[in-house]
Amino acid sequence: SITSVKADPWKDLCLLTVFNLNRTPVPIGNSMDLYKGQELAGIGHSTGAPVPLTTGGYVISAYDMHEGGRIILSSAKFRLGASGRGLFDMDGKLVGINTFKTTGYGSYYSVPAEWIHEVRKLPASNEFPIQGKALWEEDEDKKPYFLKIAIPKVKENWQELVTITKLWVEQEQNNTEAWFEYGYANEMLKNYSLALDAYKKSLSKDVNNSDALFRSGVVENLQGHKAEAKTIHNELERLNPARADELYELISM
């Protein structure tokens, strides 16, 4: 039987305490250990399916939160009714709780599994105390930057994306994803010099940002700098062989 409900008013998580459940708990991982391109699996009951459905995917990005942990953006698809299902790494560790997706953008977000540890410390309650809006329900100007960019990207409004991401890098200068998105917006506007500078900034904040490295290779290739693009390809083979193969095909065309 369910004996208690614990909830955090901002994080939109609740913990159900159940006695005598004959199951072995899964190990809880840490979103801070994830890296771009890492394989993941989502397991849960989309659309009320009676048996668990599993979808595979990979880490697209992970965004630092002021409250600790990182919001995980992955390609592991889920449908209506799958909120609360688990997102697992290939070692079977629970790394995220699938929570929301952006309309039309095809992006699937999960809150970090380590937030569960914090929820466990809250007092038990038999009421549903959550009030207010979740971060993805906020007015557009109040959303975090990684959600503000969703609509401009799907609409391919690159000028608006530049405006938003410029503010993002000004406010979070050490954020590798902010610099990557600023670079991408400039690349789409053919501002190649600005794009390359932004990708270099992104890599200076995280040398393992394979997306920034890949796009750098794409931009060098677009400008006819084959030697530079090949050098980047060689670096990318170490980080993300799949993206390296993509870049190689572009260089070979």
Side-chain angles (χ1 to χ4, degrees):
S1 61
I2 298 175
T3 60
S4 67
V5 177
K6 303 177 183 180
D8 184 306
W10 186 83
K11 293 175 179 173
D12 195 27
L13 278 179
C14 69
L15 175 66
L16 306 180
T17 302
V18 182
F19 289 103
N20 299 321
L21 183 63
N22 186 22
R23 292 293 182 271
T24 301
V26 298
I28 296 177
N30 194 310
S31 63
M32 303 302 292
D33 297 332
L34 299 176
Y35 57 88
K36 280 180 177 287
Q38 182 174 346
E39 286 187 89
L40 299 171
I43 304 175
H45 297 265
S46 293
T47 63
V51 295
L53 301 177
T54 301
T55 56
Y58 60 89
V59 176
I60 297 174
S61 297
Y63 304 101
D64 292 336
M65 301 299 293
H66 297 301
E67 296 75 14
R70 295 192 294 174
I71 297 289
I72 305 161
L73 170 59
S74 83
S75 63
K77 297 181 180 180
F78 56 86
R79 300 178 182 176
L80 184 67
S83 294
R85 79 175 188 161
L87 188 67
F88 298 84
D89 65 16
M90 293 299 100
D91 293 324
K93 292 180 181 177
L94 178 69
V95 294
I97 308 296
N98 289 349
T99 309
F100 66 100
K101 61 181 180 177
T102 52
T103 303
Y105 188 37
S107 299
Y108 302 87
Y109 295 87
S110 307
V111 299
E114 61 266 32
W115 280 359
I116 294 171
H117 301 309
E118 297 178 43
V119 179
R120 281 175 172 163
K121 299 174 185 177
L122 298 175
S125 173
N126 292 320
E127 298 178 0
F128 195 68
I130 296 178
Q131 296 178 353
K133 297 178 180 178
L135 76 163
W136 59 90
E137 297 172 326
E138 281 288 3
D139 296 334
E140 206 61 33
D141 61 332
K142 295 179 181 178
K143 288 179 179 178
Y145 280 105
F146 67 83
L147 289 181
K148 287 181 180 180
I149 66 174
I151 293 176
K153 285 191 81 168
V154 73
K155 291 184 176 181
E156 298 186 359
N157 188 338
W158 307 125
Q159 191 57 58
E160 184 179 353
L161 188 63
V162 163
T163 300
I164 295 172
T165 53
K166 188 172 188 296
L167 290 172
W168 193 3
V169 297
E170 287 172 355
Q171 294 190 24
E172 301 180 28
Q173 294 184 16
N174 291 320
N175 190 322
T176 182
E177 293 301 329
W179 283 108
F180 168 73
E181 296 292 356
Y182 181 56
Y184 186 73
N186 277 290
E187 179 188 338
M188 294 300 102
L189 289 172
K190 295 182 171 57
N191 299 329
Y192 294 142
S193 179
L194 285 173
L196 281 175
D197 285 345
Y199 291 146
K200 287 176 183 177
K201 280 275 193 181
S202 177
L203 286 163
S204 74
K205 309 306 176 186
D206 179 6
V207 295
N208 295 316
N209 192 325
S210 55
D211 284 341
L213 192 59
F214 172 76
R215 297 309 314 180
S216 295
V218 170
V219 172
E220 294 286 18
N221 187 61
L222 284 170
Q223 296 181 104
H225 304 157
K226 295 288 185 180
E228 289 84 349
K230 287 179 181 178
T231 298
I232 290 171
H233 166 263
N234 293 337
E235 294 177 35
L236 196 56
E237 279 194 315
R238 174 183 61 84
L239 281 182
N240 192 326
R243 299 312 300 272
D245 289 345
E246 287 183 58
L247 184 58
Y248 182 80
E249 290 182 11
L250 293 173
I251 296 171
S252 302
M253 290 176 64

